[in-house]
Amino acid sequence: VNPDLQKERDNCTFNVTELTNLIDGGPQKTEERKKREEMVFKEGIHIDEVPSDYLSHKEKYELAVKKACMLFKMMRRLQEEENAGMENYMALLGGNLGSAILGDGSPLTLHYVMFIPTLMGQATVEQQAYWIGRAFNLSIIGTYAQTELGHGTFIRGLETTATYDAATKQFVLHSPTLTAYKWWPGGLAHTANYCVVMAQLYTQGKCHGIHPFIVQLRDEETHMPLPGIKVGEIGAKLGMNGTNNGFLGFDNVRIPREHMLMKNSKVLEDGTYVNAPSSKLTYGTMMFVRVMLVHDVCNYMAKAVTIATRYSAVRRQSQLRPNEPEPQILEYVTQQHKLLIGISSVHAFRLCAAWLWDMYNNVTAELETGDLERLPELHALSCCLKAITTSDAAACVERCRLSCGGHGYMLSSNLPLTYGLVTAACTYEGENTVMLLQTARYLVKAWRTAAHALPPTVSYVGLARTGRRS
Amino acid sequence: PPWDNSLQGIISGFHTLAAGKIGLCVSQIEKRQASGMSYEDAWNMTSVQLTAASEAHCRAIILSSYYTETEKMSRGVSAPLRLVLTQLVELYVVYWALQCLGDLLRFTSISERNIEELQNWYEDLLVKLRPNAVGLVDAFDIRDEILRSALGAYDGRAYERLMEEAMKSPLNKEPVNESFHKYLKPFMQGKL
């Protein structure tokens, strides 16, 4: 170990393991995590013959698919050996472990993070029985397509149509224009063979707004795109080049009526539309992903500050005082300012994410009983927290890169790649300005109704208004 | 209310700031509507302020939840760790107060003297936390295989690892690249 780094460790005033346990949620959780990591790295899937930085775009994708499959195979084996729940090993594919193996993103991420959760949240019990087992086994690979080339977060503006044909009991999916092409979903390009598609539902001549449909994209045997399906990759991006983001267009593609996810709204055989108790229920998947995102950015920030802080203990530069040797750059207060705020931000976001996760679970449990009262509050919170944590995290990673000087610019520092992953989160699942405006809508409403009791997170608005009046 | 330069006081200041910004947005929208603008146009014209109000609301939420959750969490930990966790919360709260000085001056009764105290508080915290910087990141307990960084490995062999990684460049596989013979040499010898 570098002597400067060792000296830092010797001078630490608290028990590092105690803090690790606290972050993990207890010594047992730390042990479980370490055991899981040990098992994964023992397999050697993370070791690259050639650094992936020097591979072509196509080779990077092929490597990402290979590793994702090896990871899944290992996960299934461990699950059988240990008789452990799937959720234990889902952790392997997301978070730190997943990104360790699949450095620039995985083409299977959306299968686990959005396709399966959407089936769980939006499919009927019968639909879940049919689809979820196949999805868990990776007999089918799915993704989730909402955003269109010409339409982003404003989902009411989506153009893809799903028109019900009562004569054949089928929906006809169609992309009327180029701007209606689905654009962005991870895994869509060459990996997934099924997809949850958000489309405007038309039945009995009337539009009922956007609804989710499960659509087969590729033949299960040959993997060739099915007739009427126009699918491909969107091209190289700033980061996340292993995620295989794709585009998708429909030319009057027919799917059975049962392929509409009907947990909330339904279309009966004769074409009658049965409304959902609340149109807001379709926002469930997006809220779930935003809550998960806050967790994810904590991991990226923790990585970045770990790299920059250790480097700052090793690196020596300039002269702080005359006739003294070059000090560790950690001695400079400007460097401490860059690093320590990053460290405290990780803790702030981690605790905030845990708090938001509890609230998400409480509100979704209330939803099951038909109580929608706190849904707007959760929606507003998840929007602004997603926006602020991702933008702060991107700024933090960039600050860490700058704090490592030219060495931070090297891909081998892993800071540029981490920046690519974090800054992507500012855009996906709702661009940040749009997210902040959604929260603003809720806040303005809260201000106007401040005479009535307000939910806990905006109760201060009521107090402020009362104070202003007095 | 008078400014209170404590953690709770700063957090309360952020709530006042957020409420002030929301209130201002509402009155701006109403003024614009009163001057004949549609609600939608008034909203659009106010949207820069609206995003700032949202951000202020979010900052207040993060600061207050970080503070209260750390208070709860710290009860069961050793005194040295509790001290460090408290210093981290203080650092975060004071940092954001200093970042949002303009807004705090506008919406609360913070004074020049309070600001000077905050600046000194922040710099003192940096000095206090500095000896624990490496310990704090070690506590994230991120394995080298996960970190995948030449600069951040646990053993601190940053320079050796940078060199090892440099040697993996395909250009270093041969001493002379074929582009020299194909392009540079004829050019350099005036044969082009």
Side-chain angles (χ1 to χ4, degrees):
Chain A
V1 174
N2 174 284
D4 283 332
L5 202 52
Q6 189 55 52
K7 202 174 81 193
E8 296 292 330
R9 289 180 177 130
D10 296 339
N11 291 338
C12 183
T13 65
F14 67 93
N15 182 340
V16 171
T17 310
E18 188 186 3
L19 180 54
T20 304
N21 292 339
L22 197 69
I23 293 168
D24 282 327
Q28 199 190 331
K29 297 267 183 197
T30 302
E31 202 182 315
E32 280 170 19
R33 174 178 59 80
K34 281 178 174 288
K35 199 174 144 199
R36 205 160 49 217
E37 288 172 359
E38 194 56 46
M39 283 192 295
V40 170
F41 291 115
K42 206 170 65 185
E43 303 284 322
I45 304 172
H46 63 289
I47 299 165
D48 295 327
E49 286 166 32
V50 179
S52 56
D53 301 327
Y54 300 113
L55 299 179
S56 71
H57 185 67
K58 186 166 164 273
E59 287 166 335
K60 277 182 190 172
Y61 167 66
E62 287 158 0
L63 181 68
V65 172
K66 181 182 160 191
K67 283 187 171 186
C69 290
M70 287 165 80
L71 193 59
F72 179 80
K73 202 172 148 192
M74 179 195 68
M75 186 177 79
R76 192 152 58 181
R77 202 194 67 228
L78 295 175
Q79 191 192 350
E80 280 163 11
E81 280 172 12
E82 300 226 332
N83 202 19
M86 190 68 165
E87 61 280 4
N88 259 347
Y89 294 98
M90 291 274 282
L92 296 184
L93 295 161
N96 267 342
L97 267 177
S99 65
I101 293 165
L102 302 141
D104 207 12
S106 160
L108 291 186
T109 298
L110 251 69
H111 175 75
Y112 292 100
V113 176
M114 289 202 77
F115 183 66
I116 294 176
T118 305
L119 292 176
M120 289 162 106
Q122 314 262 347
T124 62
V125 176
E126 297 77 30
Q127 288 175 322
Q128 288 188 28
Y130 182 75
W131 293 107
I132 289 184
R134 299 183 76 203
F136 267 134
N137 288 336
L138 223 61
S139 304
I140 58 168
I141 298 171
T143 183
Y144 178 94
Q146 182 170 294
T147 301
E148 293 173 357
L149 189 51
H151 311 276
T153 315
F154 180 62
I155 52 178
R156 272 178 289 161
L158 297 179
E159 289 182 273
T160 306
T161 54
T163 310
Y164 185 65
D165 175 1
T168 58
K169 293 173 191 158
Q170 288 173 325
F171 287 102
V172 183
L173 274 107
H174 189 60
S175 311
T177 63
L178 178 67
T179 51
Y181 270 54
K182 297 294 176 187
W183 185 267
W184 259 120
L188 175 65
H190 294 90
T191 316
N193 55 1
Y194 281 84
C195 182
V196 169
V197 174
M198 297 300 276
Q200 300 284 358
L201 166 65
Y202 285 86
T203 178
Q204 296 177 334
K206 203 176 155 202
C207 178
H208 294 277
I210 60 140
H211 287 75
F213 301 85
I214 184 160
V215 186
Q216 183 173 357
L217 307 177
R218 291 173 178 271
D219 183 274
E220 287 191 25
E221 199 54 44
T222 63
H223 208 57
M224 284 296 286
L226 294 183
I229 300 281
K230 297 166 189 170
V231 68
E233 204 226 9
I234 63 170
K237 307 180 297 292
L238 187 151
M240 302 187 75
N241 281 301
T243 48
N244 193 223
N245 299 68
F247 63 80
L248 171 65
F250 300 102
D251 182 10
N252 293 302
V253 173
R254 288 180 169 268
I255 58 168
R257 185 184 68 93
E258 295 77 20
H259 283 205
M260 173 178 161
L261 299 180
M262 296 205 214
K263 184 178 177 184
N264 301 315
S265 305
K266 292 177 179 60
V267 171
L268 306 182
E269 281 192 6
D270 66 354
T272 308
Y273 177 74
V274 182
N275 210 347
S278 165
S279 61
K280 293 191 170 56
L281 290 173
T282 41
Y283 288 82
T285 309
M286 286 195 293
M287 275 198 287
F288 169 78
V289 175
R290 284 179 198 140
V291 175
M292 295 307 290
L293 261 179
V294 182
H295 276 288
D296 281 354
V297 296
C298 289
N299 290 331
Y300 293 131
M301 282 169 68
K303 268 190 191 178
V305 292
T306 302
I307 294 165
T309 305
R310 286 181 182 158
Y311 176 79
S312 302
V314 170
R315 173 71 172 180
R316 290 175 171 271
Q317 178 121 346
S318 306
Q319 268 188 322
L320 197 54
R321 295 172 202 94
N323 306 319
E324 282 189 10
E326 285 187 302
Q328 294 164 285
I329 56 172
L330 194 50
E331 287 301 322
Y332 293 97
V333 175
T334 49
Q335 192 76 357
Q336 294 160 17
H337 168 66
K338 283 178 187 162
L339 302 173
L340 289 165
I341 193 62
I343 296 171
S344 62
S345 301
V346 175
H347 288 281
F349 291 176
R350 199 183 292 278
L351 290 173
C352 212
W355 170 79
L356 184 66
W357 182 241
D358 283 345
M359 186 175 168
Y360 173 82
N361 282 321
N362 290 337
V363 173
T364 44
E366 285 165 13
L367 284 182
E368 296 294 325
T369 64
D371 179 1
L372 308 174
E373 201 185 323
R374 293 196 73 188
L375 193 62
E377 186 193 7
L378 175 67
H379 179 245
L381 254 182
S382 67
C383 284
C384 69
L385 280 171
K386 182 268 172 188
I388 297 300
T389 54
T390 54
S391 68
D392 281 7
C396 168
V397 176
E398 174 65 352
R399 206 162 44 229
C400 288
R401 185 184 70 77
L402 292 169
S403 74
C404 296
H407 293 164
Y409 196 68
M410 303 293 297
L411 289 188
S412 61
S413 73
N414 202 19
L415 290 169
L417 206 67
T418 307
Y419 180 72
L421 294 171
V422 173
T423 199
C426 294
T427 308
Y428 61 66
E429 291 316 309
E431 191 278 326
N432 281 353
T433 302
V434 180
M435 293 290 94
L436 290 173
L437 286 172
Q438 295 211 3
T439 304
R441 222 167 264 287
Y442 175 77
L443 294 175
V444 167
K445 206 170 158 192
W447 180 270
R448 288 187 163 147
T449 55
H452 308 287
L454 287 169
T457 56
V458 280
S459 56
Y460 71 88
V461 172
L463 289 172
R465 278 204 70 171
T466 318
R468 188 166 283 199
R469 277 204 201 98
S470 68
Chain B
W3 178 260
D4 168 10
N5 232 6
S6 67
L7 279 191
Q8 283 160 305
I10 298 169
I11 293 166
S12 166
F14 267 89
H15 280 129
T16 309
L17 187 167
K21 285 198 165 195
I22 300 163
L24 210 63
C25 287
V26 174
S27 76
Q28 281 291 334
I29 292 169
E30 284 168 357
K31 259 189 225 165
R32 284 180 165 135
Q33 278 184 286
S35 72
M37 226 182 236
S38 70
Y39 179 75
E40 291 74 18
D41 287 338
W43 176 273
N44 190 28
M45 280 302 293
T46 318
S47 55
V48 174
Q49 293 180 59
L50 284 161
T51 54
S54 253
E55 181 174 346
H57 166 72
C58 193
R59 295 269 170 233
I61 298 268
I62 295 172
L63 292 174
S64 64
S65 75
Y66 185 24
Y67 173 70
T68 40
E69 296 299 308
T70 305
E71 285 277 291
K72 276 189 235 166
M73 194 176 73
S74 300
R75 280 176 208 142
V77 305
S78 67
L81 179 56
R82 188 162 51 239
L83 179 67
V84 175
L85 292 177
T86 310
Q87 287 168 344
L88 284 174
V89 178
E90 287 179 20
L91 186 85
Y92 191 76
V93 173
V94 176
Y95 171 83
W96 278 106
L98 290 169
Q99 288 294 305
C100 300
L101 277 184
D103 287 337
L104 288 172
L105 281 164
R106 189 176 175 197
F107 293 101
T108 73
S109 54
I110 194 169
S111 67
E112 173 67 31
R113 195 194 165 105
N114 298 141
I115 295 169
E116 231 179 271
E117 284 169 13
L118 285 177
Q119 191 67 49
N120 289 334
W121 188 2
Y122 183 72
E123 284 153 8
D124 286 347
L125 283 165
L126 291 178
V127 174
K128 283 178 187 164
L129 280 162
R130 185 257 170 268
N132 287 322
V134 169
L136 281 165
V137 297
D138 281 350
F140 292 135
D141 200 21
I142 305 172
R143 285 172 67 125
D144 285 352
E145 295 92 333
I146 293 174
L147 220 47
R148 293 165 72 103
S149 171
L151 307 187
Y154 187 84
D155 62 13
R157 291 174 60 249
Y159 298 120
E160 293 87 339
R161 285 173 194 273
L162 275 171
M163 189 52 90
E164 283 162 22
E165 289 301 317
M167 294 317 289
K168 290 178 188 169
S169 165
L171 286 173
N172 289 330
K173 293 279 176 278
E174 50 192 7
V176 179
N177 183 258
E178 61 177 332
S179 65
F180 174 77
H181 299 289
K182 265 169 97 174
Y183 307 113
L184 284 177
K185 194 175 174 186
F187 183 76
M188 290 162 82
Q189 295 181 347
K191 289 176 186 166
L192 275 178

